[in-house]
Amino acid sequence: MGEQKRKQESKAEFIFGKKNYKWLFIGLAFIAVGFILMAGGGSDDPNVFDPSIFSWRRIRLAPTLVLIGFGIQVYAILLNPDKKKSKGKK
């Protein structure tokens, strides 16, 4: 008897809700795209300089996407999924 009651009380609860996980995956996608855009630009021959490493995409766009992704991750962690919207009631 006691064991069944204990199993019912110790049901697994997730820390985050569905909304949190959705935002976490969106943030991960932003970070992944940012790192993919940063990749490349190297040269096969070390004696040849390739100026494409200084492109706008690698210097401005990709790091901005990564930072936006980290911001979305912070938002997803701090988001309270149990918060109920009350319309005009205090």
Side-chain angles (χ1 to χ4, degrees):
M1 247 323 182
E3 187 175 334
Q4 289 176 349
K5 187 176 181 181
R6 191 174 20 167
K7 283 184 181 179
Q8 288 175 352
E9 289 176 1
S10 68
K11 261 192 174 175
E13 275 189 42
F14 289 112
I15 295 173
F16 297 131
K18 187 176 180 180
K19 201 173 186 181
N20 294 88
Y21 286 113
K22 179 182 79 167
W23 283 105
L24 280 169
F25 288 125
I26 290 171
L28 283 174
F30 268 82
I31 293 169
V33 168
F35 276 107
I36 289 169
L37 290 176
M38 267 191 252
S43 176
D44 293 333
D45 184 10
N47 296 322
V48 177
F49 177 72
D50 187 10
S52 69
I53 62 170
F54 298 115
S55 70
W56 181 85
R57 181 187 79 183
R58 290 188 178 100
I59 297 295
R60 301 274 189 246
L61 180 63
T64 303
L65 285 176
V66 170
L67 289 175
I68 289 171
F70 284 133
I72 292 172
Q73 293 289 355
V74 170
Y75 172 75
I77 291 170
L78 296 177
L79 182 65
N80 186 0
D82 298 329
K83 189 176 180 182
K84 305 290 182 197
K85 292 184 179 180
S86 60
K87 296 183 180 181
K89 295 181 182 178
K90 290 187 178 181

